[in-house]
């Protein structure tokens, strides 16, 4: 616990540096090596890593709190930190040999990912042949392994299996395609694989993660590793967006304290009651999003620590709160942007970058509100729900 607290303090101390580098990250279309090294030095990437590899196997709330702080300083850095940081949690679910392959010589090794099953998977003796192109691999420049989603076709009455495949950098190339309007600093480029062999132990079924029964749990017995992938990963995407909206809020309040509205006879913006109401609404939205996240993660960890089964209704509620958290954050950043006046559209103003980054994060597939809300509604009405992301 003390180690995780020290990490959180180290991240807080790094926040001003990351804020100063935010424009550089956007201009370069990737996070600097210096920023990744600085985050690693705080121990951030070890928060969700098993203790047997030098990790803290910390409470998810600590991890997500750090992500929110980082994203409030720089949206792109927060996004990359979050998705790369959660990979250490997922690798802990793989068979031990896969963990040894990645961390055996260097526990600080980082992985990127792309889970949409856009490649071709063929089952062969001892493993799988993997080929194709995967997009949106955030932070891949800083990783030496990648996690790729793929579907193994079923045979006869055997259903298809959606799996994650772990590949070293020698098995793939990175193609620079990242020219976007938001999250420009994430370097979320394409991963291209040409007929690589992946041994069976370097793959993990999404079905196993949904059932919370994975090979890695034999050695990584902490409660953290008994939480569903469908609860941890979605908040990995929502939390940076909450952080971006929080950064926008802080920038907005600071700006409005000094702003004078020339169009309204020199009235100070801070004295405008309508501006005050908009700020209050934005603050309430952000608080609601964060309180739901912390309550959900705390309940999951409490049950996992007690060795109790995680009820379906809780898992559905987590997904409900996750998509609503994204919606609330977007609602807040939109209100703040609209309240900032014309100068917020200048490229030198941080509000426009927070706005673009948050909306870029919003279009991630995991933020599809109708799908998650429909799942929750089905559960409430007593209907069956079968989804790997719950």
């Amino acid at each position: 616990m003390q180690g995780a607290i020290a990490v959180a303090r180290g991240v807080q101390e790094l926040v001003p540096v990351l804020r100063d580098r935010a424009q550089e990250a956007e201009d370069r279309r990737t996070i600097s090596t210096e920023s990744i090294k600085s985050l690693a030095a705080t121990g951030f990437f070890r928060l969700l890593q098993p203790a047997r590899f030098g990790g803290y196997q910390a409470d998810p709330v600590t991890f997500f709190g750090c992500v929110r702080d980082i994203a409030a300083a720089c949206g792109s850095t927060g996004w990359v930190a979050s998705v790369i940081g959660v990979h250490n949690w997922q690798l802990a679910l793989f068979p031990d040999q896969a963990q040894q392959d990645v961390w055996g010589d260097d526990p600080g090794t980082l992985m990127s990912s792309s889970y949409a099953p856009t490649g071709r998977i063929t089952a062969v003796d001892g493993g799988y042949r993997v080929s194709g192109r995967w997009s949106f691999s955030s932070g891949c420049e800083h990783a030496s392994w990648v996690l790729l989603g793929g579907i193994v076709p079923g045979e006869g009455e055997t259903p298809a299996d959606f799996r994650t495949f772990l590949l070293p950098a020698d098995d793939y190339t990175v193609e620079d395609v990242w020219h976007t309007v938001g999250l420009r600093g994430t370097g979320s480029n394409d991963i291209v694989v040409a007929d690589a062999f992946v041994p069976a132990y370097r793959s993990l079924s999404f079905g196993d993660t949904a059932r919370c029964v994975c090979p890695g749990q034999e050695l990584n017995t902490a409660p953290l590793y008994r939480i569903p992938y469908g609860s941890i990963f979605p908040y990995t995407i929502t939390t940076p967006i909450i952080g971006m909206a929080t950064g926008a809020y802080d920038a907005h309040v600071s700006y409005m304290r000094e702003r004078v509205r020339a169009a309204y006879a020199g009235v100070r913006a801070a004295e405008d009651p309508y501006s005050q109401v908009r700020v209050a609404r934005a603050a309430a939205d952000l608080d609601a999003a964060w309180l739901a996240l912390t309550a959900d993660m705390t309940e999951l960890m409490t049950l996992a620590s007690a060795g109790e089964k995680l009820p379906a209704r809780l898992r559905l509620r987590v997904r409900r709160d996750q998509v609503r958290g994204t919606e609330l954050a977007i609602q807040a950043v939109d209100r703040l942007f609209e309240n900032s006046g014309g100068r917020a559209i200048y490229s030198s103003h941080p509000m426009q970058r927070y706005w673009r980054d948050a909306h870029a994060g919003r279009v991630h597939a995991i933020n599809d509100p109708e799908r998650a809300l429909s799942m929750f509604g089905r559960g409430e009405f007593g209907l069956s729900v079968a989804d790997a992301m719950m």
Side-chain angles (χ1 to χ4, degrees):
M1 177 64 74
Q2 291 300 317
I5 292 174
V7 172
R9 289 173 180 163
V11 167
Q12 281 284 345
E13 293 172 359
L14 187 59
V15 159
V17 177
L18 299 177
R19 185 180 296 114
D20 289 343
R21 292 174 179 169
Q23 188 59 50
E24 175 193 353
E26 172 152 304
D27 294 341
R28 296 179 67 245
R29 297 184 299 115
T30 186
I31 307 304
S32 70
T33 300
E34 291 76 15
S35 290
I36 296 296
K37 288 181 177 179
S38 296
L39 282 169
T42 68
F44 169 80
F45 293 116
R46 294 183 182 269
L47 282 174
L48 301 184
Q49 188 174 26
R52 66 196 188 96
F53 289 104
Y56 297 106
Q57 48 193 41
D59 189 301
V61 172
T62 301
F63 173 76
F64 289 130
C66 290
V67 168
R68 182 183 61 165
D69 292 342
I70 296 165
C74 172
S76 288
T77 304
W79 184 275
V80 169
S82 191
V83 296
I84 287 185
V86 82
H87 294 153
N88 283 351
W89 173 85
Q90 188 183 9
L91 182 60
L93 306 180
F94 275 70
D96 180 58
Q97 186 57 58
Q99 298 174 54
Q100 296 294 341
D101 286 357
V102 177
W103 291 325
D105 293 331
D106 181 7
T109 299
L110 302 180
M111 298 157 280
S112 67
S113 67
S114 180
Y115 294 105
T118 54
R120 184 175 66 257
I121 312 297
T122 304
V124 296
D125 289 344
Y128 306 89
R129 305 301 307 188
V130 176
S131 297
R133 176 185 294 269
W134 285 259
S135 299
F136 305 107
S137 189
S138 301
C140 56
E141 174 187 343
H142 306 289
S144 51
W145 290 77
V146 70
L147 296 157
L148 301 176
I151 295 177
V152 181
E155 295 182 2
E157 296 183 359
T158 303
D161 188 12
F162 185 15
R163 305 184 72 87
T164 300
F165 300 89
L166 175 66
L167 286 75
D170 289 345
D171 285 353
Y172 63 88
T173 58
V174 175
E175 187 171 325
D176 185 353
V177 299
W178 195 242
H179 300 275
T180 59
V181 297
L183 292 178
R184 295 181 61 185
T186 61
S188 303
N189 288 303
D190 284 6
I191 302 295
V192 181
V193 181
D195 193 31
F197 173 73
V198 178
Y201 72 83
R202 278 206 244 124
S203 73
L204 183 68
S205 172
F206 271 87
D208 289 345
T209 63
R211 290 187 294 270
C212 299
V213 179
C214 298
Q217 293 169 329
E218 295 179 9
L219 294 173
N220 301 320
T221 59
L224 173 65
Y225 306 111
R226 295 196 293 273
I227 294 178
Y229 178 92
S231 296
I232 287 284
F233 179 79
Y235 263 131
T236 300
I237 300 303
T238 289
T239 304
I241 300 173
I242 296 174
M244 295 166 208
T246 301
Y249 180 87
D250 294 340
H252 179 78
V253 169
S254 178
Y255 170 59
M256 294 296 278
R257 283 173 178 168
E258 306 300 327
R259 181 187 174 204
V260 175
R261 305 186 70 175
Y264 292 92
V267 174
R268 291 182 63 233
E271 296 174 351
D272 178 6
Y274 303 112
S275 292
Q276 295 162 2
V277 169
R278 291 174 190 133
V279 163
R281 290 186 182 279
D285 286 342
L286 293 174
D287 284 347
W290 186 248
L291 287 170
L293 183 158
T294 55
D296 289 341
M297 289 299 121
T298 298
E299 187 168 352
L300 284 168
M301 283 294 288
T302 298
L303 292 173
S305 297
E308 297 182 19
K309 183 177 180 180
L310 306 180
R313 190 171 190 274
L314 171 59
R315 294 167 66 164
L316 289 169
R317 192 187 80 204
V318 171
R319 287 286 283 117
R320 179 202 70 186
D321 292 346
Q322 174 259 316
V323 295
R324 283 292 294 144
T326 295
E327 287 185 327
L328 289 168
I330 293 296
Q331 187 171 289
V333 79
D334 281 351
R335 183 174 281 119
L336 295 166
F337 187 67
E338 292 165 3
N339 198 51
S340 293
R343 294 199 176 276
I345 67 174
Y346 280 83
S347 58
S348 59
H349 200 294
M351 281 299 300
Q352 52 80 30
R353 186 174 63 245
Y354 284 121
W355 186 86
R356 288 185 291 105
D357 286 348
H359 277 272
R362 162 62 186 85
V363 299
H364 190 286
I366 207 66
N367 286 323
D368 180 356
E370 288 78 16
R371 180 178 299 278
L373 297 178
S374 175
M375 286 164 50
F376 180 83
R378 285 183 62 86
E380 290 294 277
F381 291 146
L383 302 176
S384 63
V385 181
D387 195 295
M389 285 298 173
M390 66 164 279

